[in-house]
């Protein structure tokens, strides 16, 4: 299993890194669009669609986003959308996590399906617009999620006692979640120190939040970290409702695309919302 995970991770990085650092947005937008097509297919399967319908829905999401791209939509000002989607995610996470696994099954099936596809599409648009803003900005958002996850895992393994959401994800603990928050605050502080010493370019998410004062920046960072945990829990809840362990087996050793991007899906539009208003 470990060998599979390493091979898959190396293969993904070999594709992602050149696209991420390419001066043109096209390679990055194209590669991540393929990932969203796969995530759309997985979401449709998790919500009861058959193999053919799930593939068509995944491709349909990709086709709509491709048309948006070709029509110049990536350069459009989407600030109203980020506000709507950010608020929607806050409400959705609160309702879903409160109602639990059983509650998700009581939602109308079309609503569950199309809401998830819409949010995946918005996550891709936020991802690409974050890259268009600057590489530093995008990396600061990605690292927030990754550091929160790594710190939460390490803190949970070492100190974890009280379960965070035992009926949804038994492995998560309050101690792990607090460790994730501390990890993000240390990351933000270190990034700001790098900016102050001339190592950074001042375009990161942390610099933009700090420009409003730390009374704004710290709660915003805590909220983004909490939503990264919520994104993970929401996907776990949906998988439990569907009776599966992984969203698919597209990524050997890692599960599916949704299993890798679940925490990013709410954080990306929220980061865009916070940085553009």
């Amino acid at each position: 299993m470990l060998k599979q995970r390493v091979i898959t991770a190396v293969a993904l990085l070999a594709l992602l890194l050149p696209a991420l650092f390419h001066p043109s947005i096209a390679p990055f937008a194209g590669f991540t669009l393929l990932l969203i097509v796969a995530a759309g297919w997985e979401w449709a399967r998790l919500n009861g669609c058959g193999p053919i319908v799930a593939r068509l829905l995944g491709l349909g999401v990709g086709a709509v986003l491709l048309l948006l791209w070709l029509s110049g939509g990536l350069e459009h000002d989407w600030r109203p959308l980020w506000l709507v989607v950010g608020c929607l995610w806050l409400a959705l996470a609160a309702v879903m996590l409160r109602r639990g696994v059983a509650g998700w099954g009581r939602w109308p099936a079309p609503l569950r399906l199309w809401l998830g596809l819409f949010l995946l599409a918005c996550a891709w648009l936020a991802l690409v617009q974050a890259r268009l803003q600057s590489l530093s900005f995008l990396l600061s958002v990605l690292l927030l999620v990754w550091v929160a996850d790594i710190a939460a895992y390490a803190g949970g393994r070492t100190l974890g006692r009280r379960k965070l959401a035992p009926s949804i994800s038994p492995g998560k603990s309050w101690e792990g979640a607090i460790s994730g928050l501390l990890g993000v605050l240390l990351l933000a502080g270190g990034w700001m120190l790098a900016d102050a010493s001339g190592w950074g370019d001042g375009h990161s998410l942390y610099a933009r939040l700090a420009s409003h004062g730390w009374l704004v920046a710290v709660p915003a960072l805590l909220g983004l970290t909490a939503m990264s945990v919520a994104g993970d829990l929401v996907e776990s809840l949906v998988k439990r409702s569907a009776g599966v362990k992984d969203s698919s087996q597209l990524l050997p050793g890692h599960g599916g695309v949704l299993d890798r991007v679940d925490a990013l899906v709410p954080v990306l539009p929220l980061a865009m919302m916070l940085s553009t208003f």
Side-chain angles (χ1 to χ4, degrees):
M1 178 65 75
L2 178 59
K3 182 179 179 181
Q4 278 189 328
R5 288 178 67 89
V6 171
I7 292 173
T8 301
V10 169
L12 286 173
L13 288 174
L15 294 171
L16 176 61
L17 291 179
L20 180 63
F21 287 95
H22 197 279
S24 168
I25 194 64
F28 180 72
F31 177 68
T32 53
L33 183 59
L34 291 176
L35 294 180
I36 288 298
V37 168
W41 165 70
E42 292 173 352
W43 180 259
R45 291 172 69 246
L46 288 175
N47 285 277
C49 295
I52 295 177
V53 173
R55 292 191 190 99
L56 289 175
L57 286 171
L59 290 171
V61 170
V64 170
L65 292 175
L66 180 60
L67 287 173
L68 178 69
W69 177 5
L70 296 177
S71 65
L74 297 185
E75 289 78 25
H76 185 72
D77 183 354
W78 292 102
R79 282 182 291 179
L81 177 66
W82 305 139
L83 180 60
V84 170
V85 175
C87 293
L88 177 60
W89 258 116
L90 293 172
L92 183 65
V95 172
M96 286 184 65
L97 297 179
R98 181 178 179 183
R99 293 184 176 181
V101 176
W104 177 244
R106 292 194 289 269
W107 290 43
L111 176 62
R112 288 183 280 142
L113 175 64
W114 292 106
L115 180 60
L117 294 176
F118 169 72
L119 292 174
L120 284 173
C122 290
W124 178 79
L125 181 58
L127 177 70
V128 177
Q129 283 216 320
R131 177 61 185 88
L132 285 170
Q133 290 203 26
S134 75
L135 178 60
S136 173
F137 179 80
L138 175 58
L139 288 176
S140 65
V141 177
L142 297 178
L143 282 171
L144 182 149
V145 173
W146 295 338
V147 166
D149 184 58
I150 293 169
Y153 177 79
R157 286 290 300 269
T158 307
L159 305 170
R161 296 293 184 272
R162 293 169 293 178
K163 300 297 183 183
L164 180 63
S167 63
I168 298 174
S169 183
K172 295 192 182 303
S173 66
W174 281 104
E175 291 82 1
I178 293 171
S179 298
L181 291 173
L182 293 175
V184 167
L185 292 177
L186 288 173
L187 170 68
W191 204 299
M192 294 302 296
L193 286 174
D195 282 346
S197 63
W199 286 91
D201 60 7
H203 296 301
S204 69
L205 170 66
Y206 315 116
R208 296 189 185 189
L209 293 178
S211 68
H212 299 289
W214 287 106
L215 289 178
V216 172
V218 172
L221 290 174
L222 295 180
L224 287 171
T225 307
M227 286 306 297
S228 75
V229 177
D232 192 331
L233 289 173
V234 163
E235 199 232 356
S236 295
L237 182 153
V238 174
K239 288 190 296 184
R240 282 188 174 273
S241 179
V244 298
K245 181 178 182 293
D246 298 315
S247 58
S248 77
Q249 296 301 321
L250 280 178
L251 305 176
H254 292 267
V257 174
L258 282 175
D259 296 322
R260 296 297 91 204
V261 303
D262 50 8
L264 280 168
V265 174
V267 169
L268 284 163
L270 281 165
M272 291 299 296
M273 180 188 78
L274 290 169
S275 67
T276 54
F277 273 90

